[in-house]
Amino acid sequence: MGTFNRARAALLALSLCFSLSAAAQEKTGSKAGFTLKSGTVRIVLMRPVIQVGEQSTGGMFEPNADWTTQSRDNITGALNQVQSQLGNQVIEYSEGATGDGALANQYARLFNSVADSVIEYQFFPGNRLPTKKRDKDFNWDIGPDIGKLPSLQGADYALFIHTHDEFGSTGRKMLQIIGMLGGVGVTSGVHVGHAGLVDLRTGQLVWLNADRQMGGDVRTPEGAAKRVAQLLEGFP
């Protein structure tokens, strides 16, 4: 078998592996019986957590400030376009004169940790905890005190959004090709994201949509629009 054919076969095998992994992962979960009636609630869109950078040859994440700023602007613009389509009043987070912005950011980081746990221990059947049965025990929260933040008074829910993108460096892409020739799977690029809705009365996570293989280059307006559409897919 020639070098080209070996590389092609390795690439097909790697693609199949990714496809099976994606198929095994559930992407959306919600609290049993939870629904949103259009026009009845007020939702605060928290400051999105956006991380963009390069994946080094060794697989390390190297943040890129310019890419992150560009992506933040693009995602913010895309979110502004879809807010009116979510069926309820959605307003952007503002700490105003409350001074609790730093605490709100801590809750955003806490949400990310909880979302990662949901993805790992409930969305993947192989890792699912006995207490997290499918379609029955979606029971996760970030604590009821979030609803006490002065900046969130009058709101019913908080919508959190997180995206993380690592674009493979030239060295990483070369390593991927070498790995294919040797029959070793090496990924180039990481594109993950999740969006979740938290009930401010209880702190419970009532809906989560997550994907560890997201599409859309967030550094472009078109790519950011695609990413936002994926993040909010299945929004209740």
Side-chain angles (χ1 to χ4, degrees), residues 19-37:
S19 297
L20 291 174
S21 175
Q25 180 198 355
E26 295 170 14
K27 298 181 180 180
T28 304
S30 61
K31 192 167 181 62
F34 174 72
T35 58
L36 277 181
K37 186 177 179 180

Side-chain angles (χ1 to χ4, degrees), residues 64-108:
N64 184 302
D66 290 338
W67 288 355
T68 299
T69 298
Q70 188 176 28
S71 299
R72 185 178 300 279
D73 291 343
N74 291 334
I75 289 178
T76 298
L79 285 168
N80 288 338
Q81 292 294 320
V82 302
Q83 283 183 33
S84 61
Q85 303 171 21
L86 297 181
N88 281 283
Q89 183 185 11
V90 180
I91 61 171
E92 292 185 24
Y93 173 82
S94 174
E95 65 178 295
T98 65
D100 60 12
L103 188 55
N105 289 337
Q106 291 182 28
Y107 273 108

Side-chain angles (χ1 to χ4, degrees), residues 2 5 22 26 34 38 65 93 109 117 159 174 228:
N5 288 333
E26 295 170 14
F34 174 72
S38 181
Y93 173 82
R109 289 192 288 271
S117 294
L159 175 61
M174 291 299 297
V228 167

Side-chain angles (χ1 to χ4, degrees), residues 1 3 31 46 87 120 166 191 229:
M1 182 183 292
T3 300
K31 192 167 181 62
M46 306 302 286
E120 185 70 21
E166 301 178 22
H191 306 282

Side-chain angles (χ1 to χ4, degrees), residues 2-234:
T3 300
F4 174 78
N5 288 333
R6 285 198 301 271
R8 184 181 180 187
L11 180 59
L12 289 173
L14 190 61
S15 298
L16 177 60
C17 179
F18 286 153
S19 297
L20 291 174
S21 175
Q25 180 198 355
E26 295 170 14
K27 298 181 180 180
T28 304
S30 61
K31 192 167 181 62
F34 174 72
T35 58
L36 277 181
K37 186 177 179 180
S38 181
T40 62
V41 298
R42 190 168 184 254
I43 302 170
V44 175
L45 172 61
M46 306 302 286
R47 294 167 179 163
V49 177
I50 300 169
Q51 301 165 325
V52 188
E54 191 172 61
Q55 186 183 34
S56 70
T57 302
M60 299 296 292
F61 175 59
E62 299 176 348
N64 184 302
D66 290 338
W67 288 355
T68 299
T69 298
Q70 188 176 28
S71 299
R72 185 178 300 279
D73 291 343
N74 291 334
I75 289 178
T76 298
L79 285 168
N80 288 338
Q81 292 294 320
V82 302
Q83 283 183 33
S84 61
Q85 303 171 21
L86 297 181
N88 281 283
Q89 183 185 11
V90 180
I91 61 171
E92 292 185 24
Y93 173 82
S94 174
E95 65 178 295
T98 65
D100 60 12
L103 188 55
N105 289 337
Q106 291 182 28
Y107 273 108
R109 289 192 288 271
L110 176 59
F111 165 79
N112 289 340
S113 297
V114 171
D116 285 339
S117 294
V118 176
I119 296 167
E120 185 70 21
Y121 298 116
Q122 185 153 19
F123 283 1
F124 278 95
N127 295 340
R128 185 172 296 142
L129 298 176
T131 56
K132 303 296 180 183
K133 297 178 182 178
R134 190 189 189 286
D135 295 334
K136 184 177 181 181
D137 298 308
F138 193 83
N139 187 19
W140 304 84
D141 69 82
I142 62 174
D145 287 345
I146 183 174
K148 298 178 182 178
L149 293 182
S151 56
L152 296 179
Q153 296 305 301
D156 301 291
Y157 296 91
L159 175 61
F160 291 89
I161 286 178
H162 174 230
T163 63
H164 179 95
D165 290 88
E166 301 178 22
F167 294 90
S169 64
T170 300
R172 186 67 178 179
K173 293 175 181 176
M174 291 299 297
L175 182 63
Q176 184 183 39
I177 294 173
I178 294 172
M180 289 176 185
L181 296 176
V184 179
V186 177
T187 60
S188 178
V190 175
H191 306 282
V192 301
H194 50 249
L197 200 62
V198 171
D199 188 334
L200 293 176
R201 295 166 297 182
T202 63
Q204 289 185 316
L205 179 62
V206 292
W207 171 81
L208 180 71
N209 182 49
D211 198 334
R212 286 182 170 173
Q213 295 183 44
M214 301 209 81
D217 186 340
V218 292
R219 297 171 298 182
T220 68
E222 297 79 12
K226 180 179 180 180
R227 175 66 58 86
V228 167
Q230 289 179 322
L231 287 167
L232 296 178
E233 186 176 357

